[in-house]
Amino acid sequence: MKNKYDEITNLTDDFCRNYLNDEYLEFSRKLTAVLCNYQPSPLSKGKAKSWACGIIHALGMISFLADSSFEPYMKSSELYQRLGVSESTGCGKSKQIRDLLEMSRLDQEWMMPSVSESHPMAAIANIASTLKQILDWK
């Protein structure tokens, strides 16, 4: 999986440096590592650029990448086009990742810190997450 990790992170690093920011670069690497270590790894099948697109899209779904009131901002269609991936492939890989890791909108583990600090719904999600931890604590 080391070669697959390197192949995907080379794509996501380049994309994030050119179009997004260091937060997306860092989180893309983290998510790729998690997916490489998942057993069996979904990354063992499929093209690296498809997975790179799915990883960035999944993170973008959580951090409002397609919301023009946030920076960075990018429409999903632009993401697919710049990575050379069809919409169905990009969406499919993103959904596969989000389903596998049970990622949801406002997921505090995968939301960019800059978004978490500034989005009103993120504050509500953070409170809900804290309450859940308190109630689950025994």
Side-chain angles (χ1 to χ4, degrees):
M1 291 309 300
K2 170 81 171 96
N3 290 340
K4 195 62 140 182
Y5 174 85
D6 290 342
E7 190 177 6
I8 293 169
T9 57
N10 284 337
L11 292 166
T12 57
D13 285 1
D14 186 50
F15 189 88
C16 292
R17 282 188 190 109
N18 288 319
Y19 304 109
L20 300 176
N21 60 26
D22 288 342
E23 282 183 316
Y24 271 92
L25 188 147
E26 179 185 327
F27 274 70
S28 294
R29 284 178 168 222
K30 179 182 171 185
L31 183 50
T32 305
V34 167
L35 293 168
C36 281
N37 288 317
Y38 199 88
Q39 294 300 320
S41 175
L43 305 182
S44 63
K45 296 179 183 175
K47 296 179 182 178
K49 71 178 183 176
S50 299
W51 284 112
C53 185
I55 287 165
I56 294 170
H57 186 268
L59 293 169
M61 292 278 299
I62 294 165
S63 293
F64 306 98
L65 181 61
D67 183 337
S68 62
S69 65
F70 286 91
E71 284 293 324
Y73 161 71
M74 181 178 289
K75 291 180 181 180
S76 295
S77 58
E78 186 179 353
L79 170 65
Y80 308 140
Q81 179 185 21
R82 290 183 184 221
L83 282 166
V85 173
S86 72
E87 179 179 349
S88 61
T89 298
C91 281
K93 294 297 185 195
S94 174
K95 179 152 178 33
Q96 188 176 349
I97 292 165
R98 289 180 283 120
D99 288 351
L100 182 69
L101 300 180
E102 298 179 3
M103 298 165 79
S104 62
R105 289 244 194 235
L106 303 172
D107 188 324
Q108 294 295 301
E109 180 179 357
W110 295 107
M111 182 180 285
M112 301 299 136
S114 62
V115 173
S116 182
E117 295 165 1
S118 66
H119 196 282
M121 288 302 292
I124 293 169
N126 196 16
I127 291 167
S129 175
T130 302
L131 285 173
K132 184 181 182 320
Q133 289 175 351
I134 290 169
L135 293 172
D136 288 345
W137 186 68
K138 296 177 182 175

